[in-house]
């Protein structure tokens, strides 16, 4: 995808050159490193916008800069340490970015991708969807590593007004089609006791194998907890008979204490309800931030991309989460998972809930006027204005 998007470079450059009043800066996603070259040719600044957190981005930058090599190409569990990053994160080979793992020296596609990440590092500044209280030492590290202080933490980025949406009026109107109406979900949640429901969702991309679905279903049934499970169906890229099938016995066995939602679920609405006790998540960054803003402790099951770094941040550093499983192909132990689910609603997660509540306050205070993220966004806008005055047309 990155290689294909790079073919937009010439059309974008032509658009700039023929526009009567072209933009004075480019702010582009971290996967669009080619826009740095466009900005250089135009004599303007390019800024990276990272939808991943500062820790995950630090890992990505370190990998593509240092290009660590495997000692044993047959060992998927070979540990890679990143000592230049605070807390010296380490990952087995299979947990590193699949884009990095698929790199082949000399291959045009691979080399283009590496150059794109190096262009991100060379860009004039960095805007990150995170907040200081969550990742301060990684934000400081990025400034040191990049050699400048043009790093702005502006998160959590929320839809307009949602930071004050205490009754969930806006959070039910986003997303795609669903097998249940938001009003029906809300009505069911309203019948439950506080801190009694576990929400299970693995984002918009991951689809579980049937064996994973079965073990998760068994765990939910054994645990006795009330739950909402957003179970994604197999997509065009999956063999429909092997993925996303809910066991035929499941819904009848758990009738009355659980909801199964096929496809999209109104996640923010669910997470912000008073009855939520825990969130079993793939640890994608959007889901991570939405869980933190809701003040909900998490059970992590990272599957790829930046998710392993995100899970480490939640579990090891902030202690607002517990590891439930790891890996896109891993089949969880239903007994162990059932125990974790039960403990999440039995008062054993009180300390995690308290810490999650503290991070929630920090996140919301950060985006209020005078907060750290608010001030960083103001500073960034001021910086853009100042840079615009330096451009010679």
């Amino acid at each position: 995808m990155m290689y294909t998007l790079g073919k937009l470079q010439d059309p974008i450059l032509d658009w700039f050159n023929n526009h009567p009043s072209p933009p004075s800066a480019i702010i582009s996603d971290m996967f669009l490193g080619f826009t740095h070259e466009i900005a250089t040719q135009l004599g303007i600044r390019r800024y990276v916008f990272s939808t991943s957190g500062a820790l995950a981005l630090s890992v990505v930058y370190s990998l593509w800069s240092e290009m660590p090599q495997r000692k044993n190409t047959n060992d998927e569990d070979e540990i890679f340490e990143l000592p230049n990053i605070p807390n010296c994160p380490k990952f087995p080979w299979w947990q590193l970015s699949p884009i990095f793992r698929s790199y082949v020296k000399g291959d045009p596609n691979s080399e283009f991708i590496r150059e794109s990440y190096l262009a991100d590092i060379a860009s004039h500044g960095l805007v990150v969807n995170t907040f200081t209280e969550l990742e301060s030492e990684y934000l400081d590290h990025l400034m040191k590593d990049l050699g400048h202080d043009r790093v702005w933490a502006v998160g959590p980025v929320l839809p307009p007004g949602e930071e004050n949406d205490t009754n969930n009026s806006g959070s039910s109107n986003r997303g795609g089609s669903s097998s249940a109406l938001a009003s029906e979900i809300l009505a069911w949640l309203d019948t439950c006791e506080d801190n009694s429901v576990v929400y299970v969702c693995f984002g918009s991309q991951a689809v579980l194998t049937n064996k994973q679905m079965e073990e998760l279903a068994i765990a939910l049934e054994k645990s006795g907890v009330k739950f909402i499970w957003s179970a994604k169906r197999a997509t065009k890229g999956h063999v429909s008979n092997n993925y996303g099938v809910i066991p035929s016995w499941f819904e009848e066995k758990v009738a009355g204490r659980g909801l199964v939602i096929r496809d999209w679920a109104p996640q923010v609405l669910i997470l912000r309800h008073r009855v939520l006790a825990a969130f079993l998540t793939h640890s994608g960054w959007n889901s991570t931030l939405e869980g933190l803003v809701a003040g909900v402790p998490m059970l992590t099951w990272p599957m790829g991309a930046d998710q392993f770094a995100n899970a480490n941040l939640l579990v090891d550093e902030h202690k607002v989460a517990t590891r439930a499983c790891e890996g896109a192909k891993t089949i969880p132990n239903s007994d162990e998972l059932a125990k974790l689910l039960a403990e999440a609603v039995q008062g054993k997660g009180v300390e995690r809930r308290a810490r999650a509540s503290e991070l929630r306050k920090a996140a919301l205070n950060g985006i209020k006027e005078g907060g750290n993220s608010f001030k960083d966004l103001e500073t960034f806008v001021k910086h853009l204005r100042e840079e615009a005055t330096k451009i010679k047309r």
Side-chain angles (χ1 to χ4, degrees):
M1 181 183 72
M2 291 175 69
Y3 184 76
T4 302
L5 286 170
K7 295 179 181 179
L8 292 172
Q9 180 167 333
D10 288 340
I12 293 174
L13 191 59
D14 288 342
W15 179 85
F16 265 93
N17 286 327
N18 291 293
H19 198 285
S21 180
S24 57
I26 296 175
I27 304 170
S28 55
D29 187 273
M30 60 184 287
F31 293 117
L32 303 177
F34 71 89
T35 57
H36 175 63
E37 176 61 25
I38 294 175
T40 301
Q41 291 187 42
L42 293 170
I44 61 176
R45 304 295 194 184
R46 185 253 174 157
Y47 302 85
V48 179
F49 177 64
S50 175
T51 54
S52 292
L55 168 57
L57 193 62
S58 297
V59 171
V60 169
Y61 283 0
S62 178
L63 290 174
W64 288 104
S65 297
E66 302 297 328
M67 297 298 292
Q69 301 297 307
R70 301 176 74 179
K71 296 176 182 177
N72 182 355
T73 56
N74 295 317
D75 184 6
E76 292 291 309
D77 293 319
E78 181 181 344
I79 299 298
F80 284 75
E81 295 187 3
L82 305 173
N84 58 320
I85 300 175
N87 301 311
C88 191
K90 55 185 178 181
F91 306 90
W93 171 257
W94 66 270
Q95 288 187 4
L96 298 181
S97 161
I99 300 175
F100 177 77
R101 285 186 284 122
S102 64
Y103 171 82
V104 177
K105 188 174 182 179
D107 174 73
N109 198 330
S110 291
E111 295 298 346
F112 176 85
I113 290 171
R114 183 174 185 234
E115 289 302 317
S116 292
Y117 281 113
L118 294 179
D120 283 349
I121 295 170
S123 290
H124 192 66
L126 171 64
V127 182
V128 191
N129 184 17
T130 189
F131 55 101
T132 303
E133 291 80 2
L134 182 64
E135 297 193 285
S136 60
E137 61 184 331
Y138 300 111
L139 290 164
D140 290 342
H141 163 74
L142 284 168
M143 292 182 195
K144 180 180 178 183
D145 195 49
L146 295 172
H148 59 75
D149 63 356
R150 295 183 297 276
V151 177
W152 298 274
V154 301
V157 176
L158 302 173
E162 199 161 278
E163 69 276 14
N164 299 314
D165 188 13
T166 56
N167 62 1
N168 286 315
S169 59
S171 55
S172 64
N173 297 323
R174 296 188 286 120
S177 60
S178 171
S179 60
L181 294 173
S183 58
E184 295 172 350
I185 296 169
L186 195 58
W188 183 84
L189 288 169
D190 287 342
T191 67
C192 301
E193 298 178 0
D194 288 3
N195 303 327
S196 66
V197 176
V198 175
Y199 173 53
V200 180
C201 182
F202 303 109
S204 59
Q205 300 296 317
V207 181
L208 301 186
T209 66
N210 288 348
K211 185 58 179 174
Q212 290 172 322
M213 296 282 286
E214 182 180 15
E215 289 299 306
L216 176 53
I218 293 171
L220 287 167
E221 193 274 324
K222 283 183 178 179
S223 70
V225 303
K226 293 183 177 180
F227 66 89
I228 293 180
W229 180 9
S230 176
K232 188 172 175 61
R233 304 174 197 266
T235 63
K236 292 180 180 179
H238 300 93
V239 179
S240 59
N241 292 333
N242 297 334
Y243 289 85
V245 176
I246 296 172
S248 57
W249 54 266
F250 178 68
E251 292 189 69
E252 183 177 348
K253 272 222 173 188
V254 298
R257 67 175 178 88
L259 287 181
V260 177
I261 303 172
R262 300 313 309 250
D263 304 314
W264 180 83
Q267 179 160 292
V268 172
L269 179 146
I270 295 168
L271 286 172
R272 294 188 180 184
H273 201 284
R274 58 175 175 77
V275 305
L276 256 287
F279 177 19
L280 176 56
T281 172
H282 67 310
S283 306
W285 194 241
N286 282 340
S287 289
T288 294
L289 290 179
E290 288 174 353
L292 290 174
V293 169
V296 177
M298 289 172 248
L299 301 170
T300 64
W301 183 350
M303 299 183 184
D306 60 351
Q307 296 159 20
F308 298 102
N310 298 341
N312 291 349
L313 181 73
L314 296 174
V315 175
D316 300 325
E317 297 186 38
H318 289 289
K319 303 187 187 306
V320 294
T322 303
R323 284 187 180 85
C325 192
E326 289 184 315
K329 298 180 180 179
T330 306
I331 299 171
N333 180 297
S334 59
D335 289 330
E336 294 176 0
L337 185 53
K339 181 181 178 183
L340 287 176
L341 292 167
E343 289 176 348
V345 300
Q346 290 173 354
K348 294 192 177 182
V350 173
E351 292 183 1
R352 283 190 292 276
R353 177 167 290 278
R355 283 189 285 270
S357 180
E358 290 174 5
L359 281 176
R360 176 183 184 273
K361 292 176 184 176
L364 292 176
N365 287 336
I367 56 178
K368 290 179 181 177
E369 187 169 357
N372 288 328
S373 294
F374 187 96
K375 288 189 288 189
D376 262 22
L377 182 57
E378 277 195 324
T379 303
F380 177 53
V381 172
K382 181 180 178 182
H383 169 85
L384 290 176
R385 288 173 177 161
E386 292 173 348
E387 289 295 316
T389 64
K390 302 175 185 178
I391 297 173
K392 296 178 180 180
R393 298 294 187 187

